Amino acid sequence: MSKKNENLVIENVFTPVEYDPQYILQVNALKKYFPIKDGIVAKTVGYVRAVDNVTFNLKRGTTMGLVGESGCGKTTAGRTILRLYPEKTGGQVLFNGKEVYDLSSKELREIRTKMQIIFQDPFSSLSPRMPVGEIIGEAVREHNLVPKAEYNDYIDNVMENCGLQHYHKARYPHEFSGGQRQRICIARALALNPEFVVCDEPVSALDVSIQAQIINLLNDLQDKYKLTYLFISHDLSVVEHISDAVGVMYLGNLVEYGDTEDIFKNPLHPYTKALFSAIPIPDPTIKMERIVLEGSIPSPANPPSGCKFHTRCKSATERCKTEVPVQKEMEPGHYVVCHLYDE
């Protein structure tokens, strides 16, 4: 095999994990690569490593924040977990102990109601040709979740729980504000009575005052329905407020993971420290010690060897340039992927 073709070999070597009932979601060494096509015959010449060996567990009824720069793979990770792509490249995604990518079409249809997503842009994710009542109730009718006689009352109740009025059912998405549209998206997800919801930057397109209302709504719904969230965001202040645990992604890898309090009080990875140094503090007497990352993010199609962050890390050593770091537990539940903490 030529050296050029050797680079295209995808390794899918990992140690399978067993189901632990305390976790609704167990992600183990998850990979999602997108092929790069070239030439007349569209030959695969490389891969974009959007998600590369991500591992974490999510406890029932809690919220995990997933943060990182734009393009780091947060959204792709969320969509891969939900099996919105036909296949994953490697690893495990266990939802209630079942491998999501091993489910048959019938089993997948049954589990779809338990796994939902709230998209970033509420306007583009809503059909402009359907009234709000149909948007929220379409999947409810498709999955036969409630008897026909109870359908209208059920939709009214879902809308009321999300801060919408029953007379909004006949209106169309363009007649609502941005905050109201996001409430419609939340109602659409909630209508299927899910257990797990991926919130893909649900407040980034909204005004700050409206963001607070949506965050409070998500918290209230979580308490009421015992929901579990994977909250994807680049706003660290929002993540600190809503999350029980936080994962920090860089170029497809999860570089640090732990309880929110531990991560924010004691960030370990140099990338996490740089991100947190950019959080504005509303106190003019406190002088910010901003850590400025030099250079640009490497291409996920051609990532650096060794630690992917070494090209921008001031603490990088020669070892970082050649050897890939492994995940280490520095304190109970607090994991980091960095050579600086090797014993």
Side-chain angles (χ1 to χ4, degrees), residues 16-128:
V17 296
E18 296 183 357
Y19 173 51
D20 188 337
Q22 69 174 316
Y23 300 117
I24 190 172
L25 182 70
Q26 293 171 268
V27 179
N28 178 33
L30 180 63
K31 296 182 180 180
K32 178 58 184 176
Y33 297 173
F34 296 96
I36 302 172
K37 304 289 185 178
D38 191 23
I40 298 175
V41 295
K43 182 180 179 180
T44 299
V45 296
Y47 293 95
V48 175
R49 300 168 182 260
V51 178
D52 197 10
N53 208 36
V54 168
T55 298
F56 66 86
N57 297 322
L58 182 54
K59 290 184 178 180
R60 298 178 184 278
T62 65
T63 299
M64 174 181 167
L66 197 58
V67 302
E69 294 171 291
S70 296
C72 69
K74 305 186 297 295
T75 295
T76 304
R79 294 184 177 216
T80 305
I81 289 168
L82 293 178
R83 195 174 164 177
L84 295 185
Y85 299 114
E87 59 185 18
K88 66 182 188 300
T89 304
Q92 280 181 293
V93 181
L94 299 183
F95 179 72
N96 285 329
K98 296 181 179 179
E99 168 57 65
V100 174
Y101 283 84
D102 288 343
L103 299 176
S104 65
S105 298
K106 181 179 179 181
E107 291 172 325
L108 183 60
R109 177 182 170 85
E110 292 175 355
I111 208 171
R112 280 294 183 209
T113 60
K114 303 302 179 184
M115 305 170 69
Q116 287 295 302
I117 185 170
I118 301 168
F119 294 100
Q120 178 177 359
D121 185 354
F123 189 64
S124 63
S125 64
L126 299 173
S127 173

Side-chain angles (χ1 to χ4, degrees), residues 37 53 69 79 88 111 125 129 135 143 161 164 167 180 225 228 280 283 285-286 289 315-316 320 338:
K37 304 289 185 178
N53 208 36
E69 294 171 291
R79 294 184 177 216
K88 66 182 188 300
I111 208 171
S125 64
R129 297 180 176 87
I135 290 173
H143 287 276
N161 288 336
L164 298 167
Y167 56 79
Q180 288 176 314
Y225 295 102
T228 305
D283 188 344
T285 62
I286 298 178
E289 295 183 6
S315 303
C320 300
C338 182

Side-chain angles (χ1 to χ4, degrees), residues 262-306:
D262 293 339
I263 292 286
F264 277 84
K265 282 188 176 181
N266 183 32
L268 299 177
H269 198 280
Y271 178 63
T272 308
K273 293 178 181 178
L275 284 182
F276 288 5
S277 73
I279 302 176
I281 298 177
D283 188 344
T285 62
I286 298 178
K287 185 177 181 180
M288 299 286 293
E289 295 183 6
R290 178 71 186 275
I291 301 174
V292 180
L293 297 177
E294 299 179 355
S296 57
I297 305 176
S299 169
N302 186 27
S305 59

